[in-house]
């Protein structure tokens, strides 16, 4: 039965414990992880945009009994993406920010303003400084967000 391995990995993502999630995944038969493997990989890279696609795929494949767990994972990763973006940039385009957050632009602006961001006259999101850090975000996470936003700025 593949479910226990995949659920175990995803449950560690719900606390953003990437080290333990990776350890469980490495000890599990690869076929037992299914889309949970893609979810973990997207968080580890980090590729927040890819994460939201992997989460949506997982949500269509898992029974509704896991909806609460997947919602928790989404909330935790969304805040990790927010912290990473705040540590990387002082202001960001709402559309690009929405892609990182897995939200519509309107919902992303609402999320950001609820957490201390403001909108500028030019429509950019001015991000707060000093967002609480739990120490689990790495330099590679910062670089991934920077690559995405810088690439988007040139388009």
């Amino acid at each position: 039965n593949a479910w226990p391995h995949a659920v175990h990995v995803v449950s560690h993502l719900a606390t953003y414990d990437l080290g333990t999630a990776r350890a469980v995944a490495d000890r599990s038969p690869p076929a037992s992880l299914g889309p949970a493997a893609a979810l973990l990989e997207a968080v580890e890279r980090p590729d927040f945009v890819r994460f939201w696609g992997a989460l949506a795929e997982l949500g269509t494949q898992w029974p509704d009994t896991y909806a609460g767990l997947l919602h928790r994972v989404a909330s935790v990763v969304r805040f990790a993406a927010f912290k990473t973006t705040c540590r990387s940039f002082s202001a960001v385009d709402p559309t690009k920010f929405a892609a990182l957050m897995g939200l519509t632009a309107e919902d992303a602006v609402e999320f950001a303003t609820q957490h201390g961001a403001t909108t500028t006259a030019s429509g950019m999101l001015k991000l707060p400084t000093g967002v609480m850090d739990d120490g689990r975000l790495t330099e590679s996470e910062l670089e991934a967000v920077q690559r995405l936003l810088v690439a988007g700025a040139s388009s």
Side-chain angles (χ1 to χ4, degrees):
N1 187 342
W3 288 105
H5 298 287
V7 171
H8 194 180
V9 168
V10 173
S11 69
H12 288 293
L13 294 179
T15 60
Y16 212 68
D17 186 353
L18 304 185
T20 304
R22 171 51 55 201
V24 171
D26 287 347
R27 290 182 183 99
S28 301
S32 71
L33 296 177
L39 194 67
L40 174 60
E41 185 178 302
V43 173
E44 286 177 320
R45 285 194 183 263
D47 183 343
F48 294 117
V49 174
R50 185 172 161 232
F51 168 83
W52 299 113
L55 185 66
E57 180 183 344
L58 192 62
T60 64
Q61 295 181 15
W62 278 17
D64 289 343
T65 53
Y66 294 105
L69 174 63
L70 297 180
H71 179 73
R72 170 70 180 161
V73 170
S75 296
V76 167
V77 171
R78 185 166 288 122
F79 196 70
F82 178 68
K83 291 190 305 182
T84 301
T85 306
C86 289
R87 288 175 41 202
S88 302
F89 298 93
S90 59
V92 66
D93 176 84
T95 304
K96 293 174 186 141
F97 180 70
L100 289 172
M101 302 298 288
L103 297 168
T104 64
E106 182 179 300
D107 289 343
V109 169
E110 182 179 339
F111 177 93
T113 56
Q114 288 174 351
H115 291 91
T118 57
T119 53
T120 66
S122 64
M124 297 288 281
L125 274 174
K126 184 176 185 303
L127 300 172
T129 58
V131 174
M132 194 168 119
D133 185 6
D134 63 7
R136 294 185 188 262
L137 300 176
T138 65
E139 289 303 312
S140 66
E141 290 173 293
L142 296 175
E143 291 167 12
V145 173
Q146 289 170 340
R147 281 191 309 273
L148 174 70
L149 294 176
V150 170
S154 63
S155 54

